[in-house]
Amino acid sequence: LDAGQPLYIDSFATLDAVTVNGDIDLAQTYGAELNVINGLTLNGTIRVGSTDGSTYAHVYFYDDEILGGQGEILLGGNSANALIVWTENSTLTVGPQFTIHGNRGSLQTRYGTDTVINQGTITADGGGLINIYGAGMFQNQSTLSATGVNSVISESMVNWSNSSQINASANGTVVVYNTGTNTNAGSITATGGLISLPPGAATIAPLRVLAPSALVLGTGLLVGGLWLSAGRRQRRAQGLVLLLGADG
Protein backbone atom coordinates (compact mmCIF):
# COMPACT_ATOMS: atom_id res chain seq x y z
CA LEU A 1 0.00 0.00 0.00
CA ASP A 2 1.54 3.27 -1.11
CA ALA A 3 1.81 5.99 1.52
CA GLY A 4 -1.20 8.28 1.44
CA GLN A 5 -3.21 5.96 -0.81
CA PRO A 6 -6.31 4.02 0.30
CA LEU A 7 -6.59 0.26 0.14
CA TYR A 8 -9.06 -0.36 -2.67
CA ILE A 9 -11.23 -3.48 -2.46
CA ASP A 10 -12.97 -4.11 -5.77
CA SER A 11 -14.50 -7.52 -5.05
CA PHE A 12 -13.56 -9.56 -1.95
CA ALA A 13 -10.91 -9.35 0.77
CA THR A 14 -10.15 -10.62 4.28
CA LEU A 15 -8.31 -8.76 7.04
CA ASP A 16 -6.98 -11.00 9.83
CA ALA A 17 -5.74 -9.25 13.01
CA VAL A 18 -4.68 -6.22 11.00
CA THR A 19 -3.78 -2.64 11.96
CA VAL A 20 -4.47 -0.13 9.18
CA ASN A 21 -3.11 3.40 9.45
CA GLY A 22 -4.98 4.73 6.45
CA ASP A 23 -8.22 4.36 4.51
CA ILE A 24 -10.03 1.33 3.08
CA ASP A 25 -12.25 1.99 0.06
CA LEU A 26 -15.21 -0.30 -0.67
CA ALA A 27 -16.98 2.34 -2.76
CA GLN A 28 -15.58 1.80 -6.23
CA THR A 29 -17.45 -1.35 -7.29
CA TYR A 30 -20.95 -2.71 -6.80
CA GLY A 31 -21.18 -5.33 -4.04
CA ALA A 32 -17.63 -5.26 -2.63
CA GLU A 33 -17.13 -7.47 0.45
CA LEU A 34 -14.71 -7.30 3.36
CA ASN A 35 -14.28 -10.02 6.01
CA VAL A 36 -12.85 -9.02 9.39
CA ILE A 37 -11.27 -11.77 11.52
CA ASN A 38 -9.45 -11.53 14.86
CA GLY A 39 -10.02 -7.81 15.29
CA LEU A 40 -9.29 -4.66 13.32
CA THR A 41 -7.42 -1.58 14.50
CA LEU A 42 -8.13 1.29 12.14
CA ASN A 43 -6.74 4.79 12.15
CA GLY A 44 -8.50 6.01 9.06
CA THR A 45 -11.82 5.57 7.24
CA ILE A 46 -13.59 2.56 5.76
CA ARG A 47 -15.87 3.86 3.01
CA VAL A 48 -18.78 1.44 2.65
CA GLY A 49 -20.52 2.19 -0.63
CA SER A 50 -20.33 5.35 -2.69
CA THR A 51 -21.64 8.70 -1.51
CA ASP A 52 -24.11 8.95 -4.40
CA GLY A 53 -25.52 5.46 -3.76
CA SER A 54 -24.38 4.00 -7.09
CA THR A 55 -22.47 1.22 -5.27
CA TYR A 56 -22.96 -0.70 -2.03
CA ALA A 57 -20.69 -2.87 0.11
CA HIS A 58 -20.83 -5.38 2.96
CA VAL A 59 -18.46 -5.86 5.90
CA TYR A 60 -18.69 -9.22 7.73
CA PHE A 61 -17.46 -9.83 11.29
CA TYR A 62 -16.60 -13.36 12.46
CA ASP A 63 -16.58 -14.55 16.07
CA ASP A 64 -15.68 -11.93 18.69
CA GLU A 65 -14.40 -8.77 17.06
CA ILE A 66 -13.24 -5.36 18.29
CA LEU A 67 -13.20 -2.29 16.08
CA GLY A 68 -10.30 -0.41 17.65
CA GLY A 69 -8.21 2.63 16.92
CA GLN A 70 -9.40 6.14 16.19
CA GLY A 71 -11.06 5.26 12.91
CA GLU A 72 -14.49 5.44 11.37
CA ILE A 73 -16.82 3.54 9.10
CA LEU A 74 -18.59 5.88 6.69
CA LEU A 75 -21.79 4.55 5.12
CA GLY A 76 -22.60 5.86 1.66
CA GLY A 77 -25.91 6.54 -0.04
CA ASN A 78 -27.16 3.01 -0.78
CA SER A 79 -29.53 1.34 1.70
CA ALA A 80 -27.95 -2.06 0.90
CA ASN A 81 -24.73 -1.06 2.70
CA ALA A 82 -24.35 -3.45 5.64
CA LEU A 83 -22.14 -4.31 8.61
CA ILE A 84 -23.03 -7.87 9.63
CA VAL A 85 -22.13 -10.04 12.62
CA TRP A 86 -21.99 -13.24 10.62
CA THR A 87 -21.29 -16.07 13.06
CA GLU A 88 -23.23 -17.48 16.01
CA ASN A 89 -22.32 -16.68 19.65
CA SER A 90 -20.37 -13.64 18.51
CA THR A 91 -19.84 -10.16 19.93
CA LEU A 92 -18.88 -7.09 17.92
CA THR A 93 -17.50 -4.26 20.06
CA VAL A 94 -17.22 -0.74 18.66
CA GLY A 95 -14.24 0.70 20.50
CA PRO A 96 -14.28 3.91 22.59
CA GLN A 97 -12.65 6.07 19.91
CA PHE A 98 -14.36 4.48 16.92
CA THR A 99 -17.27 5.98 14.95
CA ILE A 100 -19.88 4.43 12.66
CA HIS A 101 -21.84 7.08 10.78
CA GLY A 102 -23.06 8.34 7.43
CA ASN A 103 -26.10 8.19 5.23
CA ARG A 104 -27.73 4.80 4.57
CA GLY A 105 -27.12 1.21 5.58
CA SER A 106 -27.47 -1.26 8.43
CA LEU A 107 -25.71 -2.89 11.37
CA GLN A 108 -27.03 -6.44 11.74
CA THR A 109 -26.85 -9.61 13.80
CA ARG A 110 -27.88 -12.98 12.34
CA TYR A 111 -28.42 -15.03 15.52
CA GLY A 112 -30.13 -14.54 18.85
CA THR A 113 -26.83 -15.32 20.61
CA ASP A 114 -25.03 -12.39 18.93
CA THR A 115 -24.33 -9.05 20.60
CA VAL A 116 -23.26 -5.60 19.43
CA ILE A 117 -21.66 -3.39 22.09
CA ASN A 118 -21.23 0.28 21.27
CA GLN A 119 -18.49 1.92 23.33
CA GLY A 120 -17.85 4.57 20.70
CA THR A 121 -20.25 6.58 18.53
CA ILE A 122 -22.96 5.37 16.19
CA THR A 123 -24.75 8.24 14.50
CA ALA A 124 -26.91 8.99 11.49
CA ASP A 125 -25.58 12.28 10.16
CA GLY A 126 -25.86 12.02 6.39
CA GLY A 127 -29.56 12.65 5.79
CA GLY A 128 -30.67 9.02 5.46
CA LEU A 129 -31.68 5.95 7.46
CA ILE A 130 -29.28 3.69 9.37
CA ASN A 131 -30.88 0.50 10.71
CA ILE A 132 -29.59 -1.51 13.66
CA TYR A 133 -31.46 -4.79 13.70
CA GLY A 134 -31.38 -8.54 14.13
CA ALA A 135 -32.18 -11.37 16.52
CA GLY A 136 -29.51 -10.52 19.07
CA MET A 137 -28.67 -7.86 21.66
CA PHE A 138 -27.62 -4.24 21.23
CA GLN A 139 -25.88 -2.56 24.16
CA ASN A 140 -25.28 1.17 23.95
CA GLN A 141 -22.54 2.11 26.39
CA SER A 142 -21.62 5.41 24.78
CA THR A 143 -23.41 7.50 22.10
CA LEU A 144 -26.30 6.58 19.84
CA SER A 145 -27.56 9.61 17.93
CA ALA A 146 -29.07 11.23 14.87
CA THR A 147 -28.40 14.76 13.73
CA GLY A 148 -29.49 16.71 10.68
CA VAL A 149 -32.60 16.91 8.50
CA ASN A 150 -33.88 13.47 7.40
CA SER A 151 -31.17 11.68 9.40
CA VAL A 152 -32.75 8.67 11.14
CA ILE A 153 -31.21 5.93 13.24
CA SER A 154 -33.51 2.99 13.96
CA GLU A 155 -32.60 0.39 16.60
CA SER A 156 -34.82 -2.69 16.45
CA MET A 157 -32.76 -5.62 17.69
CA VAL A 158 -34.86 -8.02 19.75
CA ASN A 159 -33.14 -6.94 22.98
CA TRP A 160 -31.42 -3.67 23.80
CA SER A 161 -29.97 -1.68 26.67
CA ASN A 162 -28.72 1.88 27.10
CA SER A 163 -26.35 2.85 29.90
CA SER A 164 -25.05 6.07 28.39
CA GLN A 165 -26.69 8.54 25.99
CA ILE A 166 -29.26 8.60 23.21
CA ASN A 167 -29.48 11.94 21.40
CA ALA A 168 -31.56 13.46 18.61
CA SER A 169 -30.67 16.95 17.40
CA ALA A 170 -31.02 19.37 14.49
CA ASN A 171 -34.16 17.61 13.12
CA GLY A 172 -32.63 14.15 13.46
CA THR A 173 -34.72 11.16 14.58
CA VAL A 174 -33.87 8.19 16.83
CA VAL A 175 -36.34 5.28 16.80
CA VAL A 176 -35.99 2.39 19.27
CA TYR A 177 -38.38 -0.51 18.77
CA ASN A 178 -37.94 -4.03 20.06
CA THR A 179 -40.01 -7.11 20.86
CA GLY A 180 -37.80 -8.44 23.67
CA THR A 181 -36.33 -6.82 26.76
CA ASN A 182 -35.23 -3.21 27.11
CA THR A 183 -33.14 -1.75 29.91
CA ASN A 184 -32.46 1.95 30.08
CA ALA A 185 -30.30 3.52 32.77
CA GLY A 186 -28.77 6.21 30.56
CA SER A 187 -29.79 9.68 29.42
CA ILE A 188 -32.21 10.41 26.59
CA THR A 189 -32.03 13.89 25.08
CA ALA A 190 -33.92 15.51 22.21
CA THR A 191 -32.67 18.93 21.18
CA GLY A 192 -34.60 19.98 18.10
CA GLY A 193 -35.14 16.33 17.17
CA LEU A 194 -37.49 13.37 17.66
CA ILE A 195 -36.99 10.29 19.84
CA SER A 196 -39.36 7.31 19.69
CA LEU A 197 -38.97 4.67 22.41
CA PRO A 198 -40.67 1.40 23.34
CA PRO A 199 -43.27 1.72 26.13
CA GLY A 200 -41.69 2.10 29.55
CA ALA A 201 -38.16 2.74 28.37
CA ALA A 202 -38.01 6.43 29.25
CA THR A 203 -39.64 6.18 32.66
CA ILE A 204 -36.52 4.76 34.31
CA ALA A 205 -33.98 7.19 32.92
CA PRO A 206 -33.14 10.91 32.85
CA LEU A 207 -35.13 12.58 30.09
CA ARG A 208 -34.64 16.01 28.51
CA VAL A 209 -36.87 17.25 25.72
CA LEU A 210 -35.86 20.75 24.64
CA ALA A 211 -38.05 22.79 22.31
CA PRO A 212 -38.71 22.24 19.51
CA SER A 213 -38.52 18.51 20.09
CA ALA A 214 -40.75 15.49 20.59
CA LEU A 215 -40.82 12.14 22.37
CA VAL A 216 -43.08 9.25 21.38
CA LEU A 217 -43.95 6.76 24.12
CA GLY A 218 -46.95 5.14 25.79
CA THR A 219 -50.50 6.55 25.71
CA GLY A 220 -51.78 10.11 25.45
CA LEU A 221 -50.91 13.45 23.97
CA LEU A 222 -49.63 16.55 25.70
CA VAL A 223 -48.52 19.94 24.44
CA GLY A 224 -46.85 22.68 26.43
CA GLY A 225 -44.20 20.91 28.46
CA LEU A 226 -46.24 18.61 30.75
CA TRP A 227 -45.98 14.88 30.27
CA LEU A 228 -49.02 12.89 31.46
CA SER A 229 -48.65 9.16 31.01
CA ALA A 230 -52.21 7.81 31.18
CA GLY A 231 -52.73 8.50 34.87
CA ARG A 232 -49.24 7.46 35.88
CA ARG A 233 -46.61 9.79 37.24
CA GLN A 234 -46.14 13.22 35.70
CA ARG A 235 -42.89 14.80 34.67
CA ARG A 236 -41.95 18.20 33.32
CA ALA A 237 -40.12 18.72 30.07
CA GLN A 238 -39.63 21.69 27.81
CA GLY A 239 -40.99 21.38 24.31
CA LEU A 240 -43.57 19.07 22.81
CA VAL A 241 -43.99 15.52 24.08
CA LEU A 242 -46.10 13.03 22.13
CA LEU A 243 -47.13 9.83 23.88
CA LEU A 244 -48.59 7.33 21.44
CA GLY A 245 -49.27 3.59 21.33
CA ALA A 246 -49.59 1.08 24.17
CA ASP A 247 -48.90 2.41 27.65
CA GLY A 248 -45.75 1.12 29.31
Side-chain angles (χ1 to χ4, degrees):
L1 180 64
D2 294 333
Q5 296 298 311
L7 172 64
Y8 291 101
I9 297 174
D10 57 10
S11 58
F12 174 88
T14 297
L15 298 179
D16 188 345
V18 170
T19 295
V20 178
N21 294 315
D23 297 341
I24 301 173
D25 194 327
L26 287 84
Q28 302 304 310
T29 58
Y30 198 76
E33 296 183 358
L34 173 65
N35 293 324
V36 176
I37 300 172
N38 296 318
L40 172 63
T41 299
L42 176 70
N43 297 300
T45 299
I46 300 178
R47 293 180 175 86
V48 179
S50 61
T51 300
D52 64 5
S54 60
T55 66
Y56 77 90
H58 289 171
V59 180
Y60 299 96
F61 300 95
Y62 293 81
D63 302 315
D64 294 338
E65 299 292 342
I66 297 176
L67 285 172
Q70 300 180 30
E72 63 175 1
I73 292 177
L74 178 61
L75 297 170
N78 195 309
S79 61
N81 295 322
L83 314 175
I84 306 171
V85 180
W86 192 251
T87 47
E88 199 169 2
N89 299 308
S90 299
T91 297
L92 171 64
T93 301
V94 181
Q97 295 179 292
F98 204 94
T99 299
I100 297 173
H101 69 121
N103 191 345
R104 292 180 172 86
S106 61
L107 172 58
Q108 309 173 26
T109 58
R110 295 181 69 210
Y111 299 97
T113 55
D114 293 336
T115 299
V116 174
I117 300 173
N118 177 37
Q119 297 176 345
T121 299
I122 301 177
T123 185
D125 58 7
L129 170 64
I130 297 176
N131 272 310
I132 303 172
Y133 70 92
M137 175 76 177
F138 178 75
Q139 298 178 10
N140 182 50
Q141 299 177 2
S142 186
T143 300
L144 178 70
S145 65
T147 184
V149 176
N150 297 324
S151 292
V152 179
I153 195 154
S154 175
E155 197 296 298
S156 58
M157 282 195 188
V158 170
N159 303 297
W160 75 280
S161 68
N162 173 49
S163 58
S164 188
Q165 54 185 332
I166 297 175
N167 304 318
S169 63
N171 295 306
T173 299
V174 177
V175 178
V176 178
Y177 175 79
N178 69 305
T179 57
T181 61
N182 63 76
T183 303
N184 187 26
S187 66
I188 302 168
T189 305
T191 307
L194 169 67
I195 293 180
S196 176
L197 298 172
T203 62
I204 58 174
L207 170 67
R208 298 179 68 219
V209 182
L210 308 177
S213 304
L215 173 79
V216 178
L217 174 74
T219 302
L221 169 64
L222 186 71
V223 179
L226 180 63
W227 174 13
L228 300 175
S229 183
R232 301 182 64 174
R233 63 178 177 172
Q234 303 176 7
R235 296 167 67 178
R236 292 273 180 183
Q238 293 176 291
L240 171 65
V241 180
L242 303 175
L243 306 173
L244 306 172
D247 181 36

